[in-house]
Amino acid sequence: MGIQVNAQLGHNNEYVHAVKRISEITWNHMKFPWLWLKPIWYLTGLGFEFDKNVKLTNDFVRKVIQERKELLSEEGESDRKRKAFLDLLLTIQKEKKTLSDEDIREEVDTFMFEGHDTTSSGIGFTILWLGFNPDCQKKLHKELDEIFGFASDQSPTMDDIKKCTYLEKCIKESLRMFPSVPLIARRLSEDVTIDHPSGQKIVLPAGLSACVSPIAAARDPRAYPDPNTFNPDNFDIDAIAGRDPYAYIPFSAGPRNCIGQKFAILEEKTVLSTFFRKYEVESLQTEENLRPIPELILRPYNGIRIKIKRRESTDYVVL
Ligand code: HEM
């Protein structure tokens, strides 16, 4: 968005806390049907807390938009080729007069909500899976050493990121094992007929709310020979070509799929290539006692328990 929230330095805590509570309360609302009754929703206090936090986040984003607008008009028309997303929206508003301030706020909210927890869940789980799989981690270190040199500090360029092909496979495999968005919901606009394994046809009537589970699709043994084992080779070109594309839908599919998927992979590759250049991780828990919690965004029940070690120069892969 072109602004610094500095959430990890403890700034704007109120906004960060409000976003967290909105997600938690929304999840409870989805889970417990009695909360759909307005009197119960408000009597439990959740309704009031939800409204308060929505107002807080809306006011925060409105303020950011206002400040950005003022800055842009002070600076004059920026001739920067690559504008931040918010600046793009403000430019469209100014030139085409099609977007109101509230339209812009809604777009900013969507991107902020969809774009932060999803990637951090993806990054966290990739680190965890590589902790469980030292052989894959070794392969990754080798790739990074070849591209960047041992424990290099240099920022990755787009070219470097493109070369991190094994890292990309690890990220995609981690999203297959634990997709950040555990549930995709749609209301059917027309009757849908599906085949049941018994040979019967099942009609799902229009108006029904249907949930699709990316994790169930991704653990289908018809698509993956050993579906419960972490194996980045599942993303070799040949393996992808021979597979039903709907067996891998962490970014959903169809016209309302994730608009940020390329950006998300780029972001994860940037963070993880920087991290794994210098560090190695060892998992302090076993795969068996890892319990991911399907909230709005999938997260580990008990955090990600790993030991982080600075890599020794003896680990360096000499070219
Ligand atoms: C690993 C990271 C990510 C995952 C797994 C992910 C997954 C998804 C999924 C499953 C949907 C569809 C939700 C639905 O249909 O109900 C979605 C939608 C969306 N995502 Fe992502 N996302 C990620 C990162 C991002 C990022 C970084 C951005 C923005 C920079 C973003 C922006 C969006 C937007 C705007 C939508 C709504 C698209 C629409 O409704 O047309 N996502 N994402």
Side-chain angles (χ1 to χ4, degrees):
M1 296 296 156
I3 56 153
Q4 294 286 347
V5 177
N6 287 329
Q8 290 183 335
L9 298 176
H11 300 276
N12 296 302
N13 268 339
E14 266 195 323
Y15 174 75
V16 175
H17 177 74
V19 172
K20 188 163 172 270
R21 280 304 286 154
I22 290 172
S23 303
E24 287 165 357
I25 298 173
T26 305
W27 179 245
N28 281 334
H29 189 267
M30 282 165 74
K31 260 191 322 192
F32 305 126
W34 51 91
L35 292 178
W36 303 351
L37 301 169
K38 280 270 179 295
I40 298 183
W41 173 238
Y42 282 104
L43 274 172
T44 55
L46 286 175
F48 291 110
E49 194 187 347
F50 183 80
D51 292 350
K52 187 186 95 188
N53 284 313
V54 168
K55 183 172 178 324
L56 196 147
T57 53
N58 285 348
D59 288 348
F60 177 82
V61 176
R62 283 188 192 112
K63 190 167 142 260
V64 167
I65 294 173
Q66 213 41 51
E67 283 173 7
R68 197 75 196 164
K69 249 185 181 177
E70 281 160 22
L71 190 80
L72 284 183
S73 69
E74 271 166 30
E75 275 182 352
E77 202 37 61
S78 156
D79 50 7
R80 260 183 300 143
K81 280 209 189 97
R82 282 166 188 253
K83 289 186 175 170
F85 179 64
L86 178 53
D87 294 353
L88 265 178
L89 293 174
L90 289 170
T91 310
I92 295 171
Q93 182 187 54
K94 201 169 150 203
E95 288 173 358
K96 306 217 168 126
K97 315 229 174 311
T98 44
L99 289 174
S100 67
D101 278 3
E102 281 304 279
D103 291 335
I104 293 185
R105 184 191 55 72
E106 283 172 7
E107 293 304 321
V108 171
D109 278 345
T110 308
F111 273 76
M112 296 286 277
F113 274 103
E114 303 272 1
H116 79 281
D117 253 8
T118 44
T119 21
S120 65
S121 158
I123 290 169
F125 279 126
T126 307
I127 294 178
L128 190 65
W129 281 115
L130 287 165
F132 285 141
N133 293 276
D135 289 348
C136 299
Q137 198 179 156
K138 258 196 202 120
K139 259 175 128 172
L140 174 62
H141 280 140
K142 181 171 181 294
E143 174 175 272
L144 296 177
D145 290 348
E146 283 170 5
I147 299 170
F148 298 98
F150 178 70
S152 136
D153 273 326
Q154 89 195 45
S155 300
T157 62
M158 281 301 271
D159 214 36
D160 296 331
I161 292 291
K162 256 191 227 144
K163 288 184 198 153
C164 298
T165 49
Y166 189 70
L167 173 59
E168 184 161 328
K169 287 185 203 171
C170 294
I171 291 170
K172 289 185 170 164
E173 177 66 351
S174 171
L175 281 172
R176 180 183 76 81
M177 297 298 281
F178 287 152
S180 316
V181 178
L183 219 59
I184 300 168
R186 292 287 183 272
R187 177 154 306 148
L188 302 185
S189 55
E190 53 189 69
D191 290 358
V192 175
T193 306
I194 55 170
D195 293 326
H196 188 267
S198 67
Q200 279 179 314
K201 299 268 178 213
I202 310 247
V203 179
L204 308 176
L208 192 82
S209 291
C211 287
V212 177
S213 161
I215 200 164
R219 301 291 181 108
D220 186 341
R222 289 169 300 182
Y224 302 92
D226 190 4
N228 296 321
T229 300
F230 179 85
N231 176 12
D233 297 345
N234 279 325
F235 290 89
D236 284 347
I237 293 176
D238 294 346
I240 299 172
R243 195 162 55 222
D244 183 334
Y246 292 105
Y248 186 69
I249 48 164
F251 294 105
S252 187
R256 296 304 294 265
N257 71 354
C258 176
I259 204 169
Q261 55 184 291
K262 281 202 174 139
F263 181 78
I265 297 285
L266 189 69
E267 193 180 336
E268 287 201 30
K269 282 175 92 175
T270 307
V271 173
L272 289 167
S273 68
T274 308
F275 175 78
F276 276 105
R277 261 184 262 166
K278 287 196 176 168
Y279 303 102
E280 63 182 273
V281 296
E282 188 190 316
S283 173
L284 296 179
Q285 64 199 112
T286 59
E287 261 184 72
E288 290 68 40
N289 61 29
L290 171 66
R291 264 213 298 150
I293 304 287
E295 294 187 347
L296 279 188
I297 302 297
L298 200 71
R299 66 172 181 85
Y301 172 67
N302 218 354
I304 288 180
R305 299 168 58 77
I306 46 161
K307 186 150 100 190
I308 303 178
K309 250 177 57 192
R310 192 176 281 279
R311 290 180 65 209
E312 302 291 339
S313 54
T314 44
D315 299 336
Y316 182 31
V317 177
V318 183
L319 298 178

